[in-house]
Amino acid sequence: MKNLLLLTASLVLVLLGLEAATRLFFLPLPVVADPVLGYRRAPGMTLAYAQENDHPVRSTFNSRGFRGPDFAPQPQPGLLRVAVLGDSFVASEAVEEDRTFPRLAEARWNAAHSRPVEVLNCGVSGYSPVQEFLLLKDEVLAAKPDAVYLFFFPTNDIEDMAATTAMSRNKPFAALGPEGTVAFDFSFARGSRYQAKAAVTALRRQSALANLLYERLSPALTRGYQRRFHPEGGLPPYLTLATDRPDPAFLANYATAKALFRQAAALCRDRGIPFTLVLVDYDGVSPEAAAKLTALAPSFDPLWFEKDLQRAAARDGYGFLGLQSLFRDLYAAGGADYHWQHWNYAGQEAVARALAARMAVDLSPAPEGLAQGPAAGPGAGTETLLQPAKPGVQGVSP
């Protein structure tokens, strides 16, 4: 018994030493499980992101679990408030807080306008349009924004709409229900998979060592998914939507996402808030990448998503900002690189300029009878490929 106690004490000391040593270069996971959203960032914790940039970047999450400073429940008198939602492109964890596009757009606006604005960065890495819609409905609108911008990345955002195509099933999903309504699926929270994931998440939140070990194992856990949905030398299923042979499952996911955008716009419209969908550029925008993808599928249209969502926004009455043509033109002009995996510093500045210009449309007084500024992007005035579902949301509460 004495030897057992000595061995146990030695093991504990070793683990504590390893934990202390690990925290010198790696932090615990700033995530908490959530039975509605699947997960959220842990308030008050810090993420050290060591990928993409040439140095680690730290992001601290406020009391609401968003990146950036805390904000009051409602904007102060005389202060405009803008909410930006999306995934890792919005969270922008590869660059410092003051060099993210929300902060840069805020600074550009405040330097040019007498009435100041605060831009709330409500982006959460890994979130899908389903999670973003729920976050908007249940939390963001309560903060009384004067304009809302939802960023859509047509890669994992389409994959994550349904359990059959998502890499993780520990999150809510959605599908088009009867008569085009959106039916939400919160069954993940009742499964043993989610309970196990929540326990692992709690351990990773407490221990940097446990978080490091998990991070080292995770590539092996996702390798099969990557081979299926991101094949080397092949066209990913989401990009087949931009060809004459779209993948049926991804076509259904995309139709659901567009129904959610329409619902999000309706929620904002009911409160007199301009809503703008922002289409994030993807890996087929540069001329070189577009040429490679066209070689795989001759019918591939690099700007298909922008054209289709432009038409959907015009038809359904909300704003649209397309970043695909923006970055296509920037790359065609040459002289700069705008991406690592996500936007680098130059990319953040380009998005900030575009967002600030769109804010000038949405936050300026509208002419009589005009609720919102025109959508920006190619393809206005033509029929959309995918027909809209009728308005209505079902199953919003789990």
Side-chain angles (χ1 to χ4, degrees):
M1 180 61 70
K2 183 178 180 180
N3 290 338
L4 180 60
L5 291 174
L6 182 61
L7 179 62
T8 302
S10 300
L11 181 60
V12 169
L13 289 174
V14 168
L15 290 175
L16 289 175
L18 288 172
E19 176 69 23
T22 302
R23 286 178 181 250
L24 294 176
F25 64 91
F26 200 80
L27 295 178
L29 179 71
V31 169
V32 292
D34 187 285
V36 174
L37 295 172
Y39 67 93
R40 60 174 67 232
R41 289 299 193 188
M45 292 190 69
T46 298
L47 170 74
Y49 190 78
Q51 303 174 39
E52 302 184 58
N53 209 326
D54 60 4
H55 60 276
V57 174
R58 294 197 169 213
S59 303
T60 299
F61 303 102
N62 60 34
S63 62
R64 301 169 186 266
F66 301 134
R67 188 177 185 188
D70 262 320
F71 52 89
Q74 297 187 16
Q76 299 299 318
L79 181 66
L80 292 167
R81 172 173 283 181
V82 163
V84 182
L85 295 95
D87 61 5
S88 54
F89 275 91
V90 174
S92 300
E93 290 161 352
V95 301
E96 293 79 6
E97 167 69 18
D98 63 343
R99 300 187 70 176
T100 63
F101 76 86
R103 294 286 75 77
L104 294 172
E106 181 182 84
R108 291 181 69 88
W109 173 278
N110 290 338
H113 297 82
S114 58
R115 188 178 181 186
V117 69
E118 61 174 346
V119 179
L120 311 184
N121 185 342
C122 302
V124 181
S125 292
Y127 265 22
S128 71
V130 179
Q131 292 162 300
E132 291 152 9
F133 174 85
L134 296 170
L135 186 65
L136 173 69
K137 178 182 69 69
D138 295 336
E139 299 181 37
V140 174
L141 289 178
K144 305 293 184 182
D146 295 287
V148 170
Y149 299 89
L150 177 62
F151 282 61
F152 173 61
F153 181 47
T155 303
N156 53 288
D157 277 2
I158 299 178
E159 295 169 358
D160 286 343
M161 293 298 300
T164 53
T165 55
M167 183 165 64
S168 171
R169 298 185 179 182
N170 294 309
K171 59 177 63 178
F173 299 106
L176 289 180
E179 298 184 359
T181 55
V182 179
F184 291 84
D185 178 8
F186 298 94
S187 60
F188 75 95
R190 300 191 295 271
S192 58
R193 187 196 301 263
Y194 170 74
Q195 302 302 326
K197 182 73 171 181
V200 171
T201 297
L203 177 61
R204 294 174 64 194
R205 189 170 63 252
Q206 299 300 322
S207 170
L209 179 59
N211 190 29
L212 176 63
L213 292 174
Y214 186 92
E215 289 288 333
R216 294 298 179 265
L217 289 173
S218 58
L221 298 175
T222 61
R223 198 167 292 132
Y225 178 87
Q226 294 295 333
R227 283 196 299 267
R228 180 183 178 191
F229 292 111
H230 298 272
E232 292 186 13
L235 203 65
Y238 82 95
L239 283 183
T240 65
L241 302 186
T243 72
D244 57 5
R245 301 183 64 181
D247 182 285
F250 280 72
L251 195 63
N253 286 1
Y254 180 58
T256 305
K258 291 205 295 184
L260 280 180
F261 302 152
R262 185 171 58 255
Q263 295 296 337
L267 288 176
C268 293
R269 190 182 305 114
D270 289 345
R271 294 162 175 80
I273 302 170
F275 172 86
T276 297
L277 178 69
V278 183
L279 179 64
V280 177
D281 61 301
Y282 62 98
D283 51 5
V285 168
S286 70
E288 297 80 9
K292 291 179 181 178
L293 292 170
T294 303
L296 293 171
S299 63
F300 175 72
D301 180 358
L303 293 180
W304 182 86
F305 284 105
E306 189 157 310
K307 296 172 184 175
D308 188 63
L309 289 173
Q310 158 72 31
R311 293 189 292 262
R315 180 197 62 221
D316 295 329
Y318 57 84
F320 177 74
L321 175 61
L323 299 181
Q324 293 187 339
S325 57
L326 168 69
F327 279 102
R328 177 204 58 185
D329 294 343
L330 288 173
Y331 274 113
D337 186 14
Y338 297 91
H339 297 79
W340 295 310
Q341 178 183 351
H342 297 85
W343 297 311
N344 61 17
Y345 294 115
Q348 297 283 336
E349 291 171 358
V351 176
R353 290 193 296 270
L355 178 60
R358 181 68 210 191
M359 287 163 53
V361 173
D362 294 331
L363 298 178
S364 298
E368 188 73 22
L370 182 64
Q372 214 168 327
T382 55
E383 286 290 326
T384 185
L385 178 65
L386 299 176
Q387 294 302 313
K390 295 180 181 179
V393 177
Q394 294 182 337
V396 170
S397 300

